[in-house]
Amino acid sequence: MDLRQMRYFVAVATTRNFTRAAEQMHIAQPPLSRQIQQLEDELGVQLIQRNSRPVRLTEAGRVVYEQALQVLHRVEQMKDAARQVGSNHRQSISVGYVASTLYGGLPVMVRMLRQRYPHTDVHLVELGSIQQIHELKSGRIDLGFGRLRTNDSSVSRTVLSEERLVLAMAPSSPLAAENRRIGLQTVADQRLIVYPKEPRPSYADHVLGLLHDQGIQPAEVHEVRELQAALGLVAAEMGVCIVPTAARLRTDLVYRLIDDERATSPIILSHRLNDDSWYIAAVKQLIAEMYAQNPPFISHLGSLEV
């Protein structure tokens, strides 16, 4: 099997006509038909029903067609990347992120991206999840790493992982006395610190929504601008805070895993719909490689599992 056979087959599958496919590929019809026959012989399956007008794909043909499109697309991306590197052309990529992703896999991914594509400049822009959607559509950023699910039809989203949530508390808190998981209902008697205060909706609304869905009302809710401020107030014994497990930043606090499978926060990669820029597939591939190594920021539950 070679790329030429794939291109001929895709042309026939797209036009549903051998003659038009041959014209499109600038080749006579007999050699095009022979190449597709050789492809079928190698695979050992029939790909095209030739006795129908227009021609139709078999079930195997539809599978090969979908896979061939992906292979040919990746080949074009490889060519583009090679040309950029070969011509010493530097490309700039702007990546939006929410602050908590800095304590997970984002820095590792950026390092890998720079190492793999040294002629690409990566710029990081801190933006809320909803802000990222607007900035993607305006073209200010090219990729976004956020935590809120949205329904904007012009943006493509990929959930990379569902990160478990923990309750952060001061060591003096009665909740810290036992090394065990914490039920969400426990928050009902606490002063809850949430972040960010703005822009909204945000991770704060995600946390409050989890509580609302179970009819849980904290004794008091205090909003702050960012994660570090929230954990600082927890250390000052001003309340408790629900954070992603990767955001256990302060060693002077106690963290307890929330005993509810719904208590998670997604990490979502977003980009413009139908954007076929090479770096989108490159970033997804790097993330897959990174996750396959089971790094510490993924298996970060550690002693929280009881």
Side-chain angles (χ1 to χ4, degrees):
M1 182 188 305
D2 58 36
L3 293 177
R4 179 179 56 178
Q5 291 173 332
M6 284 191 195
R7 292 191 176 97
Y8 290 165
F9 171 67
V10 166
V12 173
T14 303
T15 62
R16 301 298 177 92
N17 185 283
F18 277 88
T19 301
R20 286 199 296 271
E23 293 172 352
Q24 184 182 94
M25 301 305 296
H26 306 290
I27 186 176
Q29 183 176 332
L32 179 140
S33 299
R34 283 197 299 272
Q35 289 292 328
I36 293 178
Q37 183 64 58
Q38 290 174 11
L39 178 62
E40 290 178 318
D41 292 343
E42 180 178 349
L43 294 175
V45 294
Q46 182 181 354
L47 301 177
I48 296 173
Q49 296 177 355
R50 293 169 173 78
N51 57 355
S52 63
R53 294 291 182 275
V55 298
R56 295 179 181 177
L57 297 180
T58 63
E59 287 297 321
R62 279 191 282 270
V63 172
V64 173
Y65 174 63
E66 293 172 0
Q67 296 293 323
L69 286 176
Q70 295 180 33
V71 169
L72 294 174
H73 180 59
R74 291 297 300 274
V75 168
E76 292 305 313
Q77 290 178 327
M78 179 190 68
K79 289 180 179 179
D80 290 341
R83 292 188 188 107
Q84 290 170 7
V85 174
S87 63
N88 291 322
H89 174 70
R90 299 195 69 84
Q91 181 167 358
S92 178
I93 303 174
S94 293
V95 179
Y97 69 94
V98 294
S100 61
T101 58
L102 286 179
Y103 308 108
L106 182 60
V108 178
M109 187 280 294
V110 172
R111 288 199 302 270
M112 293 173 65
L113 183 63
R114 284 175 166 158
Q115 292 168 1
R116 192 77 56 89
Y117 303 96
H119 293 278
T120 299
D121 294 323
V122 183
H123 301 283
L124 296 177
V125 184
E126 184 175 357
L127 294 166
S129 298
I130 300 301
Q131 287 178 303
Q132 290 179 22
I133 302 303
H134 298 306
E135 298 303 317
L136 279 169
K137 293 163 68 175
S138 70
R140 183 187 173 201
I141 64 173
D142 303 298
L143 298 168
F145 290 85
R147 287 191 176 274
L148 292 185
R149 291 178 170 87
T150 61
N151 296 316
D152 196 306
S153 59
S154 62
V155 174
S156 176
R157 296 166 298 279
T158 302
V159 177
L160 303 177
S161 66
E162 290 282 354
E163 189 172 358
R164 294 292 296 272
L165 301 181
V166 299
L167 186 67
M169 65 198 81
S172 59
S173 170
L175 298 176
E178 297 184 31
N179 186 20
R180 60 180 179 83
R181 299 185 180 193
I182 296 288
L184 267 180
Q185 185 62 43
T186 307
V187 180
D189 301 324
Q190 303 294 317
R191 184 176 193 245
L192 180 66
I193 301 167
V194 298
Y195 69 92
K197 185 176 183 178
E198 55 187 21
R200 305 292 279 271
S202 68
Y203 174 76
D205 299 286
H206 175 68
V207 169
L208 294 174
L210 287 173
L211 298 174
H212 178 77
D213 289 346
Q214 298 193 41
I216 300 171
Q217 180 64 47
E220 183 181 347
V221 175
H222 181 68
E223 300 177 350
V224 296
R225 291 189 179 277
E226 45 94 22
L227 171 60
Q228 291 282 9
L231 295 181
L233 291 182
V234 173
E237 301 181 356
M238 298 294 292
V240 298
C241 183
I242 296 175
V243 300
T245 53
R248 294 176 290 158
L249 309 180
R250 297 184 64 115
T251 58
D252 57 346
L253 297 180
V254 174
Y255 304 91
R256 295 287 182 259
L257 184 67
I258 295 176
D259 191 15
D260 190 321
E261 292 184 356
R262 293 167 292 184
T264 64
S265 175
I267 299 177
I268 303 173
L269 169 63
S270 301
H271 60 82
R272 288 177 288 275
L273 189 67
N274 297 325
D275 185 349
D276 60 356
S277 300
W278 67 270
Y279 52 77
I280 294 175
V283 165
K284 289 182 178 180
Q285 177 61 35
L286 290 175
I287 291 172
E289 294 176 13
M290 185 173 65
Y291 279 19
Q293 297 174 8
N294 197 29
F297 58 81
I298 294 178
S299 14
H300 42 228
L301 294 182
S303 62
L304 291 172
E305 293 285 15
V306 295

